[in-house]
Amino acid sequence: MGSITISQELPPNDVLLLRNLADDIERYQQQGSAKSAGNTVKSDSVPGQEADNGTSQRHVSSSRDERDLASMRAVNDPASKDFEPAVFSSVDLRDLSPRLHPVIYQYILLPYIKWAQTIARHPSDVIMVTHLILYFTTSVPSAIWLFYHFTYLHGIIHFAMQFYYIGAYTLMMHQHIHGGGVLRKQFGIRLFDVLFPYITDPLMGHTWNTYYYHHVKHHHVEGNGPDDLSSTIRYQRDNIWHFLHYVGRFYFLIWLDLPLYFLRKDRPTFALKTAFWELSNYAALLTLFRLNSRPTVFVFLLPLALMRLGLMVGNWGQHALVDADEPDSDYRSSITLIDVPSNRYCYNDGYHTSHHLNPRRHWREHPVHFLANKETYSSEHALVFHNIDYLEITVRLLLHHYEHLAKCMVPIGERQMAMTIEQRAALLKRCTRRFSEDEVKEKFAVAAKSKAK
């Protein structure tokens, strides 16, 4: 399968998808080798044989895609015998039966899954119930105890624990804000679903409701366009100083920028709500700091500082590679990652293009969508990577490690498959170029006109 490395730590559908894409690359390379050999022995060729081989290859690929799609959908379908809910981040349910004692598996794990499915909104999302139990039995009591009896050792351990939690928590909340919750819409469960973020968000570095207003009501409306406060298009996206400016503006000015954005868009209610929640959260943190500074630093302020940095580093990686010709295209202004940190531990966050195409798509459906629409991704020249996460993409870009990024690319479509590593690196470098104001007006004015039609 060439340069494609398939980690067995990937979720099952990611393994299936990556093997599928690797098989496409292998078939393309074999066709190229066959054509080269055919050019040297034309006298031995049979008329029409090349066309027959091409048709046969397409038929094989189509049959394989249908088979892979059926397998993917079965894993996600509660009515299928192959349905498999997500229970834990680090291991799949299919791997737990041989690892656990039969009594534990049969009489503890399976009843837990059955119970959790009565709590979770989707039968596949047992993992969200698992994580909520984890947060409310570790983060919450640990934070309370720090305010009751603070020690620096406990404070450091608590912050390290939150450092480990916040990625998965943020992407769980990503599902929450797009879907209006993650638990069932029964009264008691729904009430908890609405209220728990007001407890856990500040512990994980989020201010109340800002993630919702910034991400759902602003970022997905603007789509990395000119009016997006987190847009990357006006930055040289492999320049450290531009990156620091990008992070710094969000870090220190989002409390002002976001309400002003909503006022410019004639959404005064959103402006007032955003300002209220953000400033009231700051007021609460200031009050706690004045009452008991040391636990406030470790419980709230350090996670807030870390989360604000993490959100911008991640968004930079998600939108650093923007096509110079069609920067308004979701296929060409965002990327897809097939990697372990994003997809196993963070609810398929690597499928950012799929998410922008349909922000309400359930996280388990992203690999299915990609494979079902593989030809569209190919024709739109979308960028796909493997064995790299958004953090590393950001770091590699700032270090100008384009060859490494090119090696992590999963070429889709004949145009990308025909490229050498050097040509892929040149393509990626071109995608980091900042847009001038004239280019922004031109590119996005054309996009606005085409959408209006």
Side-chain angles (χ1 to χ4, degrees):
M1 292 188 179
S3 60
I4 304 300
T5 303
I6 302 177
S7 170
Q8 294 308 306
E9 291 184 54
L10 286 167
N13 278 356
D14 275 25
V15 172
L16 200 59
L17 175 59
L18 201 51
R19 283 178 177 162
N20 183 287
L21 297 177
D23 190 47
D24 285 343
I25 297 168
E26 189 174 4
R27 290 178 188 279
Y28 174 80
Q29 292 170 343
Q30 289 173 351
Q31 284 181 335
S33 299
K35 287 180 181 179
S36 297
N39 288 337
T40 60
V41 288
K42 287 183 180 178
S43 59
D44 295 333
S45 63
V46 178
Q49 181 175 346
E50 185 176 334
D52 289 343
N53 287 342
T55 302
S56 176
Q57 291 277 19
R58 285 192 295 273
H59 177 71
V60 170
S61 296
S62 177
S63 299
R64 179 211 57 204
D65 289 352
E66 291 175 6
R67 183 175 64 251
D68 289 347
L69 269 173
S71 298
M72 284 183 168
R73 285 170 173 151
V75 171
N76 291 348
D77 182 7
S80 170
K81 65 180 178 61
D82 296 321
F83 172 64
E84 185 175 340
V87 183
F88 305 107
S89 295
S90 57
V91 63
D92 299 304
L93 181 59
R94 66 184 68 180
D95 298 323
L96 285 173
S97 178
R99 294 186 188 183
L100 295 176
H101 190 280
V103 172
I104 295 175
Y105 184 81
Q106 188 70 33
Y107 295 104
I108 296 178
L109 181 62
L110 292 185
Y112 165 72
I113 292 172
K114 186 175 181 180
W115 169 80
Q117 286 177 326
T118 67
I119 305 297
R121 184 169 300 183
H122 297 277
S124 60
D125 291 351
V126 172
I127 188 172
M128 296 188 183
V129 178
T130 303
H131 281 191
L132 284 170
I133 293 172
L134 179 67
Y135 303 142
F136 276 90
T137 56
T138 56
S139 293
V140 174
S142 175
I144 293 171
W145 187 257
L146 276 169
F147 275 91
Y148 177 73
H149 180 72
F150 177 84
T151 65
Y152 279 103
L153 178 60
H154 183 186
I156 292 168
I157 293 172
H158 177 88
F159 177 62
M161 177 177 66
Q162 299 306 95
F163 182 90
Y164 179 74
Y165 285 168
I166 60 175
Y169 176 83
T170 297
L171 273 301
M172 183 185 75
M173 289 308 300
H174 186 241
Q175 301 300 310
H176 192 285
I177 61 177
H178 277 294
V182 295
L183 305 180
R184 286 190 180 271
K185 296 181 179 180
Q186 298 171 2
F187 175 71
I189 299 172
R190 177 59 179 160
L191 183 63
F192 176 78
D193 199 19
V194 170
L195 294 180
F196 83 78
Y198 292 95
I199 299 170
T200 51
D201 272 9
L203 298 177
M204 304 290 182
H206 291 277
T207 49
W208 293 319
N209 292 318
T210 299
Y211 191 24
Y212 169 75
Y213 286 111
H214 184 279
H215 186 75
V216 176
K217 295 301 183 182
H218 153 254
H219 175 62
H220 274 281
V221 172
E222 301 297 343
N224 202 52
D227 293 338
D228 190 340
L229 297 175
S230 53
S231 174
T232 58
I233 59 175
R234 291 184 174 92
Y235 293 94
Q236 178 62 36
R237 295 174 295 280
D238 60 1
N239 183 298
I240 184 66
W241 301 111
H242 284 228
F243 170 72
L244 291 174
H245 180 277
Y246 177 82
V247 172
R249 177 166 181 173
F250 178 83
Y251 221 89
F252 298 108
L253 294 177
I254 192 58
W255 64 273
L256 178 63
D257 279 345
L258 192 56
L260 290 178
Y261 161 83
F262 285 125
L263 288 177
R264 288 195 300 272
K265 295 296 180 176
D266 196 26
R267 306 297 295 270
T269 302
F270 284 170
L272 288 172
K273 288 181 177 180
T274 302
F276 169 77
W277 286 115
E278 188 76 359
L279 296 177
S280 63
N281 198 280
Y282 293 160
L285 293 178
L286 179 60
T287 301
L288 286 171
F289 184 81
R290 296 183 70 173
L291 291 173
N292 201 342
S293 61
R294 292 183 299 174
T296 301
V297 168
F298 284 91
V299 172
F300 296 114
L301 298 184
L302 288 178
L304 175 62
L306 179 65
M307 177 54 65
R308 293 273 156 122
L309 176 63
L311 288 172
M312 287 298 97
V313 171
N315 198 74
W316 186 273
Q318 289 167 344
H319 294 286
L321 298 166
V322 180
D323 185 77
D325 299 318
E326 294 186 43
D328 62 301
S329 167
D330 286 327
Y331 292 99
R332 301 191 186 193
S333 65
S334 59
I335 60 176
T336 298
L337 304 185
I338 306 176
D339 73 301
V340 174
S342 302
N343 297 344
R344 174 167 288 283
Y345 294 99
C346 292
Y347 301 95
N348 282 336
D349 188 43
Y351 294 91
H352 202 62
T353 299
S354 172
H355 174 60
H356 267 271
L357 290 168
N358 180 1
R360 292 180 64 87
R361 195 189 318 277
H362 188 264
W363 65 280
R364 291 267 297 237
E365 293 300 319
H366 289 308
V368 180
H369 163 80
F370 185 100
L371 185 55
N373 295 275
K374 184 175 63 173
E375 295 305 319
T376 303
Y377 277 78
S378 299
S379 64
E380 291 287 342
H381 311 301
L383 293 176
V384 181
F385 297 86
H386 79 304
N387 284 355
I388 191 169
D389 60 22
Y390 295 119
L391 172 61
E392 187 179 352
I393 282 185
T394 295
V395 172
R396 294 286 184 178
L397 285 173
L398 297 177
L399 293 174
H400 293 202
H401 289 176
Y402 284 103
E403 185 173 337
H404 179 86
L405 291 168
K407 290 178 180 178
C408 290
M409 264 187 71
V410 181
I412 56 173
E414 292 189 2
R415 175 178 164 182
Q416 291 182 5
M417 291 180 192
M419 291 180 176
T420 63
I421 291 294
E422 292 74 18
Q423 288 170 329
R424 291 183 208 169
L427 168 67
L428 297 178
K429 186 173 180 62
R430 180 173 179 262
C431 288
T432 62
R433 185 182 63 81
R434 71 182 298 187
F435 291 82
S436 68
E437 286 303 318
D438 288 339
E439 287 176 314
V440 169
K441 291 177 183 177
E442 176 190 350
K443 300 291 184 183
F444 286 90
V446 170
K449 287 180 181 178
S450 63
K451 287 179 181 177
K453 292 178 182 179

